[in-house]
Amino acid sequence: MARPWILDYDSANCTIGATVDILGERPTFLVLREAFNGVRRFDDMQRRTGMPRQVLSQRLSRLVDEGLLRKVPYQEAGQRPRSEYRLTEKGLDLYPVLVAMMEWGDKYAVGSAGPQALLRHRDCGEPVELQLACAAGHVLESAREVTPVPGPGARKIA
């Protein structure tokens, strides 16, 4: 087996590492799960995730600071003003990541009762599944069909 080319390159500019720095903890993924399911209010998120208020507040603040969520003010009659949390375009771009995690969990980590939720196409009702495809439209069946090559940000180790 040939030596992987990546060993000659610095890993400091790794976008996977940068993404994990933003998203890497379980509470962050639970907040995103709720946001993608239409849960927008703090109390509802806290009840659904079971997170301590301080932890949830920190996660929401971080996701707002990173531009994945935005705060939208609302006020119910007789109550103080509050904020809802809504996904931004940057946040919506994470949907395939969560779907990939969900599909993996449905295959390898699901309980005996089966998955809690199924994804269906809103227009036709058919199941939704994530696919990898190249720019020419070839659907890839496995990671073994992908070859990593140096990108424009790759820097050789001195």
Side-chain angles (χ1 to χ4, degrees):
M1 183 169 133
R3 182 174 187 266
W5 66 266
I6 197 86
L7 294 174
D8 295 330
Y9 287 81
D10 185 356
S11 64
N13 193 29
C14 173
T15 56
I16 292 174
T19 302
V20 170
D21 284 346
I22 296 169
L23 303 178
E25 297 183 45
R26 182 177 191 269
T28 303
F29 284 100
L30 296 181
V31 168
L32 290 169
R33 175 194 69 194
E34 296 307 316
F36 278 112
N37 285 328
V39 178
R40 295 180 174 158
R41 296 183 178 182
F42 185 95
D43 289 340
D44 293 332
M45 282 192 190
Q46 200 275 326
R47 187 179 71 255
R48 296 242 335 125
T49 63
M51 271 182 237
R53 295 182 74 78
Q54 183 177 1
V55 172
L56 178 57
S57 180
Q58 290 168 347
R59 293 303 179 266
L60 288 167
S61 292
R62 175 78 191 268
L63 291 170
V64 168
D65 291 346
E66 292 291 343
L68 302 172
L69 295 176
R70 63 186 170 92
K71 290 170 98 174
V72 177
Y74 76 93
Q75 185 172 10
E76 292 181 357
Q79 300 290 321
R80 66 179 173 83
R82 296 178 182 216
S83 294
E84 290 185 337
Y85 296 89
R86 297 190 185 181
L87 290 157
T88 63
E89 285 302 312
K90 185 177 178 181
L92 287 167
D93 283 346
L94 283 169
Y95 192 62
V97 175
L98 269 74
V99 171
M101 292 174 67
M102 183 178 172
E103 285 186 6
W104 187 91
D106 288 352
K107 186 173 182 178
Y108 296 109
V110 70
S112 60
Q116 179 185 20
L118 301 173
L119 302 178
R120 301 282 183 191
H121 183 213
R122 184 174 298 192
D123 289 345
C124 73
E126 287 298 312
V128 170
E129 58 186 38
L130 200 58
Q131 293 183 337
L132 284 180
C134 72
H138 303 116
V139 174
L140 309 176
E141 299 298 323
S142 164
R144 289 182 172 88
E145 295 181 58
V146 178
T147 301
V149 297
R155 301 291 177 257
K156 280 215 170 198
I157 297 172

